[in-house]
Each structure stands twice: as structure tokens, then as C-alpha cells.
Amino acid sequence: MTDQRQRPRRRGQGELEALVLSALSEADGPASAGWVQERLGGDLAYTTVITILTRLLAKGAVTRERAGRSFAWTPASDQAGLAAHKMRKVLDAESDREAVLASFVTGLGLDDERLMRELLGQAKGEGEH
């Protein structure tokens, strides 16, 4: 006879990183891994939280400072910053940047295209000052 109990849904790495970043962004300052674990409801093992924080550190999404025998963690960027970092990393790994950017831009919907034009216009205006 097989076990019919339902296992909790397994979350993907990106989803866990987003949850941890979200928790850190709610902290009043640097937070311990234990605080993050409690903030997420305690359903993640402490070692899992440490692993996620270490991966985020390697990606530049969080910083850490020594706090006694452990570390206190601070978000270096928000969700948008982390997504932008991932996009730059993918772009940097490609040999034909122009082709990648062209493919990306031609795949945008009208609203995203409009927003991209506005953002590029703002960035161009900032660069002229």
C-alpha cells in the first residue's frame, strides 16, 4: 500500500529567494537568519535559510556583517534589482548582445514597449546633466 499523505508543494529556488528578500526588506535593519526563518513562518529549515542567504550574497542581492558568532543580513537590492541583475548576467554571457537585445525588445508587448521607451528617455535625460 502506498502512502497517500500529501507532501507540501516544493518551492523553486527563485521563489525561496524572493521570500527571503521580502522578509529582509521588512526588517528595521540587519536581520539574523533565525529572524528570517521566524518571519517566514518557520516552515523552512534554518540551514535552508542560510543556504538561500549565501546564494543571494553571491549574487550581490544581500550583504552581511559579523554579529557575534553569526551574521546579520541586509538586502542590497529589492526584487526588481535582483531580476535586473539576473538579466544583465544573462546578457553578459552572450556573444551577440545586439541580437539578444533586439530579440528581447521585439518580443515586448505594447505596454512594456511604451514603458521601456519612457525609461530610456529618462535615463538619457539624466545622462545629459
Side-chain angles (χ1 to χ4, degrees), residues 46-124:
Y46 179 81
T47 55
T48 301
V49 173
I50 291 291
T51 298
I52 295 165
L53 286 166
T54 303
R55 287 179 182 162
L56 289 170
L57 180 67
K59 294 178 181 183
V62 299
T63 60
R64 70 179 181 187
E65 58 190 50
R66 184 62 78 178
R69 293 179 5 179
S70 62
F71 293 100
W73 304 82
T74 306
S77 63
D78 57 10
Q79 288 284 26
L82 182 58
H85 175 76
K86 288 177 183 177
M87 292 166 69
R88 281 190 301 273
K89 192 173 178 180
V90 168
L91 183 60
D92 289 345
E94 295 299 322
S95 59
D96 191 348
R97 293 176 74 90
E98 183 176 347
V100 173
L101 286 170
S103 180
F104 177 75
V105 170
T106 57
L108 292 175
L110 291 177
D111 289 341
D112 287 336
E113 181 181 340
R114 179 191 48 75
L115 179 59
M116 182 72 77
R117 288 181 190 279
E118 288 175 14
L119 293 170
L120 288 170
Q122 291 171 9
K124 184 178 177 185

